[in-house]
Amino acid sequence: MVNDIQVLIVDDQLPFREASRMVVEMTDGFAVSGEAEDGRQAIELVGELQPDLVLMDVQMPGIDGIEATRQIT
């Protein structure tokens, strides 16, 4: 829905992304706008999708969630 809070899910492990997607989709007022599997991809997708909320994993290879969040903000 247009008024839903748009969520970008970021996790390097597919099972955790799938579980997060399921929780977000089952929660009224929230919708998944996209998924990223690493910090670099998250930074790019935030620029493209402009989500309202980023659900970020902290420990990922390459750019971790802390650094990705620092760059996004």
Side-chain angles (χ1 to χ4, degrees):
M1 233 173 139
V2 174
N3 294 329
D4 286 347
I5 294 172
Q6 297 298 309
V7 181
L8 174 64
I9 298 169
V10 185
D11 200 300
D12 60 319
Q13 297 182 37
L14 179 59
F16 287 104
R17 288 197 313 272
E18 290 173 341
S20 297
R21 173 180 280 281
M22 205 170 14
V23 169
V24 170
E25 289 175 344
M26 292 173 54
T27 305
D28 289 339
F30 291 81
V32 175
S33 63
E35 295 180 19
E37 59 185 36
D38 60 35
R40 178 198 50 77
Q41 188 179 28
I43 294 165
E44 292 174 9
L45 285 177
V46 165
E48 292 173 23
L49 302 174
Q50 298 293 304
D52 301 305
L53 176 68
V54 178
L55 183 57
M56 180 78 73
D57 181 16
V58 174
Q59 295 183 342
M60 295 182 290
I63 299 175
D64 66 20
I66 294 172
E67 180 58 29
T69 300
R70 194 174 288 130
Q71 290 185 34
I72 289 168
T73 57

